[in-house]
Amino acid sequence: MIDMIAALQPLVVGAVLIWSARVKLLNRHAATVARRSALAPLLGEGRALPAYRLLGGVELILGALLVLPPALRLENAVATALAAGFLGYLTYARRTAPTSSCGCLSSRPTPVSGRGLGRAALLVAAAGLATLAPGGWPAALADRPLAGGAALLAEAAAVVALSPELDAAWLLPLRRLRARLTNPLRGGTGLPLLATVQQVQLSDSYRRVAPLLRSDVREHWDDGEWRFVGHAARYQGRPATAVFAVPLVGGEPDAVRVAVVDDATGQTLLALAGAGRPAGPRLDVVPA
């Protein structure tokens, strides 16, 4: 089984490299993406775009070599080194330029996150495993087509799940579907949602973030003694979600607190507690 999985890794790594090269070589916003990336502070703004294009060319050539059989050990070794370089670059970007964009699989402005580092680590492991493969991926798929296809789908799903740049294609539609199915205008406990919304709108927390809000109630959920209410928001030009925490029992407007969470990264951009009230629950992330 491990031999089959190892033989399939050049196909996975090659496909990711080709997709990444497409963004760097063909996207009309490549110059903007390069300037927003950590390449600008690392190499200088004038060298960022040529380096970005050069990296895209390397990815395209290596990706094509990996996808087209036979996959040689030298190709897999080079892919391992390149993936390790990606991991080092992203680690550098997150530490020295945390607001810079990844520029990896999309032109969307997506800061480097733990998910992006996890994807890079996955590619390092996949490319390293490929160097141990005794044969190529065509033979592995021919011998065990169902198991091989399932393994490829699972690994592709892992790459997508670890790519915040691709959230708009699958995660946000799932959230909208959940909102339609659960009907966010219907309360989940004996306390009507309207009463919660009124409590939110009377709070100091609401008044302080009201200019950021871009929607009415988009979703809500109850957790213990608290109800959480989400609104679409925009913070410093970034799509976000404002999550209000409201006590279900004996609450006053001053007890309401709010966190503004970046939709792309899940990072808490702003957190406000009610004046003179206990801190209440943690508001680090919005459930997917």
Side-chain angles (χ1 to χ4, degrees), residues 130-143:
T131 62
L132 306 177
W137 64 263
L141 282 179
D143 292 341

Side-chain angles (χ1 to χ4, degrees), residues 144-170:
R144 305 180 66 177
L146 292 180
L152 286 175
L153 287 176
E155 201 160 356
V159 171
V160 171
L162 291 172
S163 301
E165 307 97 320
L166 306 180
D167 284 353
W170 69 277

Side-chain angles (χ1 to χ4, degrees), residues 174-262:
L174 283 180
R175 287 178 172 174
R176 295 189 187 103
L177 176 62
R178 192 188 78 169
R180 287 197 295 270
L181 294 177
T182 57
N183 187 3
L185 298 179
R186 182 183 66 245
T189 68
L191 181 67
L193 183 61
L194 178 60
T196 301
V197 173
Q198 290 174 338
Q199 189 174 345
V200 168
Q201 293 176 346
L202 291 172
S203 69
D204 180 65
S205 296
Y206 181 85
R207 287 191 292 271
R208 294 167 71 182
V209 302
L212 308 177
L213 303 183
R214 296 295 183 268
S215 78
D216 202 340
V217 176
R218 190 173 66 173
E219 58 182 340
H220 78 275
W221 65 96
D222 295 343
D223 186 0
E225 298 178 354
W226 294 83
R227 173 170 291 167
F228 298 88
V229 180
H231 296 252
R234 197 161 189 87
Y235 183 83
Q236 296 181 350
R238 302 158 71 174
T241 298
V243 186
F244 294 89
V246 188
L248 286 171
V249 179
E252 300 176 358
D254 283 347
V256 175
R257 70 183 304 237
V258 63
V260 179
V261 182
D262 189 292

Side-chain angles (χ1 to χ4, degrees), residues 9-21 25 54-86 123 127 130-131 137:
Q9 298 313 298
L11 189 59
V12 174
V13 177
V16 174
L17 290 178
I18 291 172
W19 183 278
S20 181
L25 298 177
L54 177 61
L55 178 59
V58 172
E59 289 176 332
L60 179 61
I61 294 171
L62 182 56
L65 290 174
L66 291 171
V67 169
L68 298 174
L72 305 177
R73 288 186 186 275
L74 177 60
E75 298 168 4
N76 294 324
V78 173
T80 305
L82 182 62
F86 286 154
L123 291 178
T131 62
W137 64 263

